[in-house]
Amino acid sequence: KKQVEILRAAFKRGVHDRLVDADLTDGIVVSLGHVERPYWSSEELMAVITATPKVAEKGLLGVLGLMGVRSGEARSLLVGHLIDGRLWVRNSGSGTDTTKTRASRRRLPVPEVVLPWLLEHSYGRPETDHLFESPRKPGHPVGKRYISDVVTRGVTRANAGRSERIARINVHGLRHTFAAIALSEAGGDILSVSRALGHSKPSTTLNEYGHLAPAGLEPLMARIDGLVAGTASSALHPPRPEPSPGASAGH
């Protein structure tokens, strides 16, 4: 699309300078078709989390799927980053003390369903310990493969005896799951979801997940109707004045 736009600009200048007779890009349209990313519904995500027996792994899946934290960010979390029911996301997992963008450094309120798992898992541990520590390498965070295995095991357990099977998604699909739940099920606004995801610009969120937002103006207008219904009713139908004492029917 960028190449066509550059070529179009060149042709327009060529026509203007009488170097060419016509803009040969007229009528050419390049569509940026949206590629659907796999994600789970809230029911599917909770089925996987419920089927996961370990508290640490429940918390990990909750942080990824219900808070939108990146895999690298989750691996870099320390016990001390959980403060007063909020999770301080500071590191992108690149091995430095800062994240890719300033917007990525954020404090996220932990959902009530996730908080007990994190509190139980971190209870009594030093603040400098990795929140999600590797069970095989003490002092190190869980590896990328470990998180992928947690997802795989959770899906397998959740599908046992389930008529409608849950599709396997990759770890990054949990981040898309958060966006889908926040926008299409919880009715969240793009700006709030963008802040939760740590995007530098809301336009990034809109480009990637805008199609998941409630479609059309009907939901918006319905909410406006609900807000002003009482006020509008009072304005259109004001209370009738009480007749003064002694007033006659003829008046």
Side-chain angles (χ1 to χ4, degrees):
K1 184 175 178 63
K2 290 180 180 178
Q3 290 171 343
V4 169
E5 292 304 322
I6 293 173
L7 188 60
R8 195 189 311 277
F11 269 116
K12 288 185 181 299
R13 182 55 185 260
V15 171
H16 179 270
D17 292 345
R18 298 182 180 179
L19 299 176
V20 294
D21 294 329
D23 178 3
L24 300 183
T25 65
D26 275 348
I28 296 178
V29 177
V30 180
S31 175
L32 296 180
H34 175 76
V35 178
E36 188 65 37
R37 302 173 186 268
Y39 59 85
W40 290 332
S41 66
S42 60
E43 186 275 330
E44 290 173 324
L45 173 61
M46 291 309 299
V48 173
I49 294 178
T50 301
T52 301
K54 296 181 180 179
V55 171
E57 295 179 357
K58 287 179 182 289
L60 177 59
L61 292 174
V63 166
L64 297 172
L66 291 174
M67 298 179 67
V69 175
R70 298 178 177 91
S71 173
E73 293 172 338
R75 295 175 60 239
S76 301
L77 288 171
L78 303 179
V79 172
H81 291 162
L82 181 60
I83 306 172
D84 297 330
R86 291 176 177 265
L87 205 54
W88 190 8
V89 181
R90 301 177 59 184
N91 193 293
S92 65
S94 60
T96 64
D97 292 331
T98 58
T99 53
K100 293 182 298 183
T101 63
R102 187 174 183 179
S104 295
R105 299 191 291 275
R106 58 205 189 275
R107 290 182 183 270
L108 296 176
V110 181
E112 291 185 7
V113 68
V114 179
L115 186 58
W117 299 327
L118 298 185
L119 291 175
E120 180 179 345
H121 178 57
S122 61
Y123 180 75
R125 297 170 57 198
E127 292 188 352
T128 54
D129 278 5
H130 289 283
L131 182 58
F132 302 111
E133 189 175 59
S134 171
R136 297 182 179 179
K137 297 181 179 180
H140 293 78
V142 294
K144 297 179 181 178
R145 179 62 182 271
Y146 178 88
I147 302 178
S148 180
D149 289 343
V150 168
V151 175
T152 299
R153 291 194 298 267
V155 172
T156 301
R157 292 190 181 99
N159 280 334
R162 184 183 174 97
S163 58
E164 294 185 10
R165 299 180 66 81
I166 300 172
R168 170 72 167 85
I169 62 175
N170 60 27
V171 174
H172 199 64
L174 292 173
R175 185 166 161 86
H176 302 314
T177 293
F178 164 77
I181 293 173
L183 290 170
S184 64
E185 295 188 46
D189 62 274
I190 289 289
L191 182 58
S192 297
V193 175
S194 179
R195 289 174 176 172
L197 290 169
H199 285 160
S200 58
K201 297 180 294 184
S203 59
T204 302
T205 312
L206 186 61
N207 289 339
E208 292 216 18
Y209 305 111
H211 66 289
L212 297 173
L217 292 175
E218 288 79 4
L220 173 62
M221 295 311 178
R223 287 195 294 271
I224 291 177
D225 278 339
L227 288 172
V228 303
T231 304
S233 177
S234 299
L236 293 173
H237 306 286
R240 300 179 65 180
E242 295 289 335
S244 57
S248 64
H251 295 165

